[in-house]
Amino acid sequence: ADLNIAGQTVSAGGEFDMNYTTGEDTFALDFTPTAGINAWGVDFEVSSTFDVLQVNEGDLFQGLDLEAGYTIREGFRLYSKIGTDEDFSFGDLQTGLTFAF
């Protein structure tokens, strides 16, 4: 869902991923909620993945993923992203350029 607030776009959404891995003979159901804002041409997003099948085992929260990006022109986007673990310890920073057509 996208909302326009004071000329900036605020968005929220989520994705469910149900899958089966043959080599491990395991099922997984992940839920990834996201929230973001696009302000002054820069988009910011925060998300987290929850293993829905492991709810009763107490390992539900696995950390946050943070991303910022800037579209240079249609098809070209600069981005930086970093993730945390469940204790909010940061991992490595990844920066790059994407090309889409």
Side-chain angles (χ1 to χ4, degrees):
D2 291 333
L3 302 169
N4 193 340
I5 299 173
Q8 309 309 317
T9 303
V10 178
S11 61
E15 176 181 81
F16 280 97
D17 177 14
M18 177 71 166
N19 60 70
Y20 174 75
T21 305
T22 57
E24 299 175 10
D25 193 32
T26 58
F27 282 95
L29 176 58
D30 294 333
F31 174 61
T32 307
T34 60
I37 185 170
N38 185 309
W40 306 284
V42 179
D43 54 281
F44 301 92
E45 182 178 278
V46 62
S47 65
S48 185
T49 300
F50 298 94
D51 187 347
V52 177
L53 297 179
Q54 302 295 324
V55 170
N56 294 329
E57 296 183 21
D59 293 332
L60 185 65
F61 179 71
Q62 299 174 12
L64 295 174
D65 295 315
L66 309 164
E67 183 172 341
Y70 179 75
T71 301
I72 300 169
R73 56 181 288 164
E74 187 175 338
F76 290 94
R77 181 175 178 268
L78 289 170
Y79 72 91
S80 290
K81 58 184 173 180
I82 192 165
T84 72
D85 62 13
E86 64 276 1
D87 297 323
F88 297 103
S89 295
F90 286 95
D92 293 332
L93 176 67
Q94 181 181 25
T95 300
L97 172 70
T98 60
F99 170 67
F101 53 92

